[in-house]
Amino acid sequence: RRSGQYTMNHDHSKKIPDGASFDRSGSQDSLDELSMDDYWKELENIHETRGNNHEEQVALVVKEPDEGELEEEWLKEAGLSNLFGESSGDSLESMVFLSTLTRTQKAAVEKRVETVTQTMRKRNKQHQIPDVRDIFRLQNDSKGKVCDGSEPSTVRTSENKNETHGGTKGPKFSLGTDEQKSLLEDVPSSDTDINLEISFAEQAANLKDSSVGKMYKGGGGDTLLPNFRLPKDKTGTTKIGDLAPQDMKKVYSLALIELTALYDILGTEFKQQKAVKIKTKDSGLFGVPLSLLLEQDQKKVPGTKIPLIFQKLIAQIEETTLETEGLLRIPGVATRVKGLCQELEAKFYEGTFNWENVKQHDAASLLKLFIRELPQPLLTVEYLKAFQDVQNLPTRKQQLQALNLLVILLPEAILLLFQVLLEFLQRVIDHRDKNKMTLKNVAMVMAPNLFTFHGFGSKTIEQSEFVMAAGTANVMRFMIQYQKLLWTIPKFIVNQVRKQNTESQKKEKKDKAMKKLLKKMAYDREKHEKQEKTPND
């Protein structure tokens, strides 16, 4: 079945440039026949490798969620599970968190709470179900400003919930105060400046009816990718590894809410997928869960954060020279790659494997094989579809903003591996004059390795792979080109975390003062009682 499917893809490759087999609109640039041919050839190579490596490959089951389940899961992921269900209540921590949200973020939370609430009512749950309006009442009654400088929003009630922001009657997502509006007006008008101070969803809402930001919708070739940059910030930029784990947890929640709000505003569905657990190998190098692989490595080299085999394969490729023509594109010999794979499994940790016999193209094939054979896709089951859907967003700037938020959502181990991979791919591209591997070529070759996942079975590949080939290659191109921007935590999210910490500290201070007062009162009462017993004293 697989064989037929891949042959079909390759046979069609010659027809693609003339036909309309995939949508060329939006960000899907016109990619020349040679580039697309690279993509289909890579798919064929992948298939050949799998054909020679027929050890049990278990399909990963992606669970279809029940009604409301997706939204429940989303609220849990965002750290807001106490807004519904048996645990619902006025958790002060959640109230502090909600008070820092922007209008569009609040609207995203409200939308999901409303769906869960309606689902629970249908299920006739016995516990108390909060009204979505009550959840935000605390912030709406307060006269304080939310973190982006805007006044807290009045959320939609159930009577007007069907009037979307796209219509004339829906709430306008303006930024509220004159100060904040002027901040938006003062932002450099250059379409290549990435503004990190204002919520991406708020920017999208303000630009929705404007033509600003749509200059870079089409076009192809490396040179036509806009030179996006971050304007200099006196306070510096915050990178993903800069914050403490407890703050990163808050960043994760805010990034998830912000990404959802951005997709809501732009009319793109954001759905996290959930994988049913499957049996995986419990030792070895290829096809082993990343967490388990790192555990094995840390026994050998304490503190290892990037799998040793991955590091060694990159070093082996670079040791020869990055100027080799067709590097990453030309595959190793399939039977030899299979033999090396088995030999590595047996000898790598013993230190008896002879690396001198490994040819450069074979090492490159092994590197790609390592990525493909992970039990779950490198970009995770949860977010792989969201990464693919980035291509459907209207402007390149919004695509980059969405990728920035998606990268923040990746688990730390995956994030570090992905960063090392992108940096390596950039080094390959830096030698394009000699190796003939331009940004576009490298993206074409690497996209199938990241975006087609063996565990999803052939149905997904048949239906979406052919259609989405150019789109996923463009997402890959974006991630390589703008990788330095991807590791940056937007300033508006950092500010929201700071505000949450300040509010929590105030609460802590109040609690301490209250405890001190109660302690003093108890001590005074005790002293008074003693004095009553011994009046002479």
Side-chain angles (χ1 to χ4, degrees):
R1 207 166 55 168
R2 280 188 189 283
S3 175
Q5 146 210 336
Y6 278 103
T7 311
M8 175 203 79
N9 284 346
H10 192 58
D11 288 348
H12 275 68
S13 68
K14 293 184 176 66
K15 298 175 191 170
I16 287 168
D18 304 316
S21 299
F22 57 84
D23 180 16
R24 290 179 179 280
S25 65
S27 67
Q28 296 185 359
D29 301 338
S30 302
L31 291 153
D32 57 51
E33 186 166 0
L34 177 68
S35 299
M36 287 309 300
D37 202 35
D38 284 347
Y39 186 99
W40 304 122
K41 275 180 185 166
E42 183 66 18
L43 265 183
E44 203 168 86
N45 295 333
I46 291 170
H47 170 57
E48 194 183 336
T49 312
R50 281 193 195 137
N52 288 320
N53 187 23
H54 252 322
E55 287 147 24
E56 56 200 87
Q57 280 187 344
V58 193
L60 191 70
V61 184
V62 177
K63 189 174 175 291
E64 280 298 314
D66 297 327
E67 188 189 1
E69 198 179 344
L70 209 66
E71 288 78 7
E72 257 182 63
E73 198 59 42
W74 185 91
L75 287 163
K76 282 177 191 167
E77 284 281 305
L80 295 170
S81 54
N82 60 349
L83 295 186
F84 66 92
E86 288 161 2
S87 59
S88 68
D90 291 349
S91 157
L92 210 58
E93 198 178 329
S94 282
M95 289 305 164
V96 166
F97 181 85
L98 290 168
S99 72
T100 66
L101 299 185
T102 63
R103 278 201 177 91
T104 45
Q105 288 172 348
K106 281 184 181 179
V109 173
E110 179 201 337
K111 189 177 170 184
R112 272 91 201 152
V113 172
E114 206 163 89
T115 305
V116 172
T117 303
Q118 285 169 359
T119 308
M120 283 181 165
R121 287 202 176 112
K122 279 181 194 170
R123 287 187 209 150
N124 291 321
K125 293 274 183 188
Q126 293 306 304
H127 49 256
Q128 180 199 4
I129 297 165
D131 190 295
V132 70
R133 288 163 289 184
D134 296 337
I135 290 166
F136 292 94
R137 195 163 283 153
L138 185 70
Q139 289 85 42
N140 296 338
D141 291 345
S142 136
K143 290 185 180 176
K145 291 180 184 178
V146 293
C147 171
D148 66 338
S150 61
E151 297 293 342
S153 62
T154 306
V155 294
R156 287 174 288 157
T157 60
S158 53
E159 288 77 33
N160 68 350
K161 69 175 182 283
N162 295 321
E163 297 166 8
T164 62
H165 45 259
T168 48
K169 293 181 183 176
K172 286 192 178 178
F173 290 94
S174 65
L175 281 158
T177 63
D178 293 335
E179 183 190 336
Q180 192 67 16
K181 280 177 187 163
S182 69
L183 183 58
L184 243 187
E185 285 157 18
D186 291 343
V187 167
S189 57
S190 164
D191 216 47
T192 56
D193 280 351
I194 301 294
N195 177 11
L196 296 179
E197 296 198 19
I198 303 207
S199 149
F200 297 155
E202 294 287 344
Q203 290 179 49
N206 278 275
L207 293 173
K208 205 168 180 194
D209 301 319
S210 137
S211 60
V212 179
K214 296 188 180 174
M215 285 167 60
Y216 294 107
K217 209 169 173 183
D222 296 356
T223 51
L224 291 179
L225 274 184
N227 184 25
F228 285 126
R229 65 184 190 89
L230 299 176
K232 281 189 180 174
D233 189 333
K234 288 173 190 174
T235 57
T237 53
T238 308
K239 298 288 179 185
I240 288 173
D242 293 348
L243 298 179
Q246 64 267 30
D247 284 338
M248 273 313 294
K249 201 176 168 187
K250 291 170 188 169
V251 167
Y252 178 92
S253 298
L254 289 162
L256 178 61
I257 295 170
E258 176 65 19
L259 182 68
T260 311
L262 180 63
Y263 274 51
D264 283 355
I265 291 287
L266 298 173
T268 302
E269 193 176 28
F270 173 66
K271 272 190 177 179
Q272 288 164 277
Q273 293 182 297
K274 201 164 181 64
V276 174
K277 282 185 181 176
I278 55 161
K279 195 181 175 187
T280 56
K281 283 169 70 178
D282 53 10
S283 65
L285 297 173
F286 296 87
V288 179
L290 199 54
S291 55
L292 195 67
L293 192 57
L294 286 169
E295 265 178 50
Q296 287 175 182
D297 288 353
Q298 282 158 4
K299 285 172 189 169
K300 295 278 177 189
V301 183
T304 301
K305 291 191 172 180
I306 310 292
L308 296 174
I309 182 66
F310 194 77
Q311 292 182 51
K312 183 60 189 167
L313 286 168
I314 287 178
Q316 184 69 19
I317 296 165
E318 296 198 274
E319 201 174 275
T320 312
T321 172
L322 291 178
E323 294 181 356
T324 310
E325 193 169 325
L327 185 58
L328 294 174
R329 181 172 55 79
I330 297 172
V333 177
T335 49
R336 201 165 57 214
V337 169
K338 187 189 177 186
L340 286 168
C341 189
Q342 289 169 343
E343 204 180 331
L344 276 166
E345 291 279 14
K347 299 178 179 177
F348 180 72
Y349 284 118
E350 289 174 11
T352 56
F353 182 81
N354 185 3
W355 284 96
E356 285 174 20
N357 297 337
V358 181
K359 297 182 188 302
Q360 193 180 33
H361 290 310
D362 291 347
S365 288
L366 285 166
L367 184 78
K368 292 186 287 185
L369 180 71
F370 174 85
I371 295 166
R372 290 196 308 273
E373 291 299 300
L374 286 168
Q376 294 207 3
L378 183 63
L379 298 175
T380 72
V381 172
E382 289 81 2
Y383 298 115
L384 185 66
K385 190 177 183 303
F387 271 99
Q388 289 173 339
D389 289 345
V390 164
Q391 61 178 310
N392 301 325
L393 301 184
T395 74
R396 288 193 171 170
K397 190 180 278 189
Q398 286 160 350
Q399 289 167 10
L400 184 55
Q401 289 169 337
L403 283 171
N404 181 198
L405 296 168
L406 276 166
V407 164
I408 290 171
L409 295 175
L410 293 175
E412 188 189 13
I414 288 173
L415 195 66
L416 292 169
L417 180 67
F418 190 43
Q419 187 170 4
V420 168
L421 175 66
L422 290 184
E423 286 169 356
F424 165 68
L425 296 179
Q426 186 55 56
R427 291 196 296 277
V428 172
I429 294 160
D430 290 342
H431 292 82
R432 59 189 170 275
D433 291 346
K434 295 278 174 65
N435 62 28
K436 310 294 184 219
M437 293 302 289
T438 62
L439 171 62
K440 196 190 284 184
N441 295 134
V442 171
M444 277 292 144
V445 169
M446 292 308 297
N449 290 283
L450 265 78
F451 287 101
T452 67
F453 181 63
H454 66 82
F456 286 158
S458 59
K459 190 183 172 193
T460 312
I461 296 171
E462 268 180 30
Q463 288 180 351
S464 69
E465 187 49 38
F466 186 70
V467 175
M468 296 183 74
T472 53
N474 269 307
V475 172
M476 191 74 225
R477 206 157 65 111
F478 252 57
M479 292 192 292
I480 300 168
Q481 173 82 355
Y482 303 120
Q483 55 183 282
K484 285 181 182 171
L485 298 177
L486 296 183
W487 318 122
T488 307
I489 301 174
K491 194 170 182 181
F492 67 90
I493 287 182
V494 175
N495 288 341
Q496 285 178 300
V497 171
R498 279 197 189 124
K499 182 165 185 188
Q500 284 174 34
N501 289 344
T502 306
E503 294 298 322
S504 297
Q505 281 164 5
K506 278 183 191 171
K507 178 187 169 290
E508 227 172 89
K509 220 174 177 182
K510 274 183 187 173
D511 287 352
K512 271 186 186 173
M514 183 58 77
K515 276 178 189 170
K516 202 175 175 185
L517 181 65
L518 290 171
K519 203 173 176 184
K520 189 177 183 302
M521 285 166 71
Y523 173 76
D524 289 348
R525 188 166 60 247
E526 207 177 305
K527 193 178 172 185
H528 182 67
E529 283 168 2
K530 275 184 185 175
Q531 281 176 343
E532 279 183 342
K533 283 178 190 172
T534 54
N536 296 335
D537 290 354

